[in-house]
Amino acid sequence: MESETAPNGFKRPFPALTPAQRYHLDVLGYVVIPNTLTQDEVGRLLEAMYRLKRDLLASNDPAKAVVRGCRLSRYRPHHLHFAHVLETDPALFDYLTHPRLVGMAEELVGGTVRLEESEAILNARDPEADLNAPLRYGFHTGTRPDIGTYTENGLYHCTFVKTLTNLTELGPEDGGTVVIAGSHKVRCKREDIVACAYEDRSLIHQVIAPAGSTLLFGEALIHATGQIRSDRERVIVIGGYTPTMFQAWNGQEPSPEFVGRTPEPLKPLISGSDRWRWQQRHRSLDMPAETGP
Ligand SMILES: O=C(O)CCC(=O)C(=O)O
């Protein structure tokens, strides 16, 4: 298998998924790849996230504070949602430009990508949640099957893709992301699909994975934050990727200074500078995954 080595030398695997992982992604709309990060990478990222949390909460008004380009888009004592973590720490930059993870995103997009957003969530059990009530989730999507998805070589592709990596272990009670399996292809009203999933809860799949594992999915899949029922805090880091001609999420465009400091081979990924020079690339199901150097 040959790698995508752009003239600028940023090498990532193609395809990044094994045929079985790709099939899982096609059928269910997501795949969880265990242990994509080493323990050292997870440790560096956790340190960076705890430092960022400390620095943001040290401000007089954490809901409005901006630290190293990052702000809290959701601020409740048990749930912090960080927007634009890209510029906050080299560990986050390394995560968002991780060749294997970018390769996974490119495989699902079907071509070269730009970073569209960089986020993180640090959450714990909601002290007000009634753990005996039937579970309800904040189900949502970032695109729709008839707008943001297409088929090539018989395989599903999506133009808005996320990699969610958990830095803490996720057991069944630890609030891993939940998804409605198969909803990435169903062209029906979202509320109707959600109603079906509440009626047959086997359709709701939850991430259970060791720390350092990555959930890959396209944003047409209906998904939500899971419910934490344990005493364990959850920390996840999120990369959003789109074709190169798309825009970054509102308020998540990298600063010109940061782009200026970014190594040349990674600039198109970080800044979207390739714009309409999008290079499409589609695998077939039988291609084995390219394993890294
Ligand atoms: O908290 C989670 O696990 C879900 C995050 C999410 O909904 C998203 O990144 O779009």
Side-chain angles (χ1 to χ4, degrees):
M1 242 16 61
E2 61 185 72
S3 294
E4 173 69 15
T5 312
N8 55 28
F10 172 42
K11 196 170 184 298
R12 54 270 187 216
F14 179 82
L17 300 177
T18 66
Q21 290 165 343
R22 191 58 165 89
Y23 187 77
H24 192 288
L25 175 63
D26 257 65
V27 173
L28 299 171
Y30 74 93
V31 63
V32 178
I33 314 292
N35 303 310
T36 52
L37 300 188
T38 63
Q39 280 186 7
D40 278 357
E41 287 167 327
V42 169
R44 272 180 84 213
L45 281 163
L46 271 176
E47 247 177 62
M49 285 313 305
Y50 287 131
R51 188 166 47 246
L52 184 58
K53 172 187 172 182
R54 229 178 15 248
D55 293 348
L56 279 161
L57 296 191
S59 134
N60 289 338
D61 189 354
K64 298 214 178 95
V66 178
V67 168
R68 300 187 283 283
C70 175
R71 68 198 152 77
L72 289 170
S73 56
R74 183 154 186 224
Y75 171 50
R76 294 176 67 198
H78 71 281
H79 190 118
L80 304 179
H81 194 132
F82 303 77
H84 196 57
V85 295
L86 170 70
E87 305 187 28
T88 60
D89 192 285
L92 268 311
F93 178 79
D94 291 347
Y95 168 68
L96 296 160
T97 59
H98 191 297
R100 183 173 174 207
L101 300 183
V102 174
M104 282 162 38
E106 288 187 324
E107 175 169 341
L108 182 50
V109 164
T112 48
V113 294
R114 68 158 301 176
L115 185 70
E116 164 277 338
E117 68 183 77
S118 60
E119 307 212 316
I121 298 175
L122 213 151
N123 63 327
R125 190 174 57 231
D126 180 349
E128 283 163 25
D130 174 1
L131 300 183
N132 297 313
L135 274 178
R136 284 282 187 269
Y137 303 99
F139 279 124
H140 60 278
T141 54
T143 186
R144 295 194 339 219
D146 47 2
I147 294 176
T149 76
Y150 66 99
T151 304
E152 199 67 53
N153 293 340
L155 295 173
Y156 175 81
H157 295 84
C158 185
T159 52
F160 183 6
V161 165
K162 290 262 179 82
T163 55
L164 267 63
T165 300
N166 52 298
L167 305 180
T168 48
E169 187 178 332
L170 292 175
E173 303 287 295
D174 298 332
T177 308
V178 287
V179 306
I180 302 183
S183 59
H184 61 307
K185 288 184 181 169
V186 180
R187 289 165 156 79
C188 297
K189 279 200 276 182
R190 198 165 66 200
E191 315 81 85
D192 295 347
I193 300 174
V194 171
C196 292
Y198 283 141
E199 195 176 318
D200 176 357
R201 293 203 174 234
S202 69
L203 295 167
I204 303 177
H205 295 192
Q206 182 186 340
V207 176
I208 295 170
S213 303
T214 301
L215 165 68
L216 171 72
F217 67 98
E219 275 277 343
L221 182 74
I222 301 177
H223 62 283
T225 303
Q227 186 190 52
I228 300 184
R229 304 168 72 83
S230 69
D231 292 331
R232 218 197 295 251
E233 182 175 61
R234 183 184 75 134
V235 186
I236 63 169
V237 284
I238 302 169
Y241 301 90
T242 61
T244 52
M245 61 285 204
F246 281 31
Q247 298 189 29
W249 195 262
N250 294 351
Q252 298 228 21
E253 204 60 72
S255 67
E257 300 74 41
F258 189 78
V259 174
R261 289 199 303 275
T262 298
E264 213 51 52
L266 296 170
K267 271 192 180 139
L269 171 65
I270 295 301
S271 69
S273 56
D274 274 351
R275 296 165 71 91
W276 288 94
R277 288 187 297 272
W278 184 39
Q279 294 168 49
Q280 294 190 51
R281 200 173 197 203
H282 304 102
R283 71 172 292 167
S284 56
L285 185 57
D286 62 346
M287 285 170 89
E290 182 188 3
T291 45

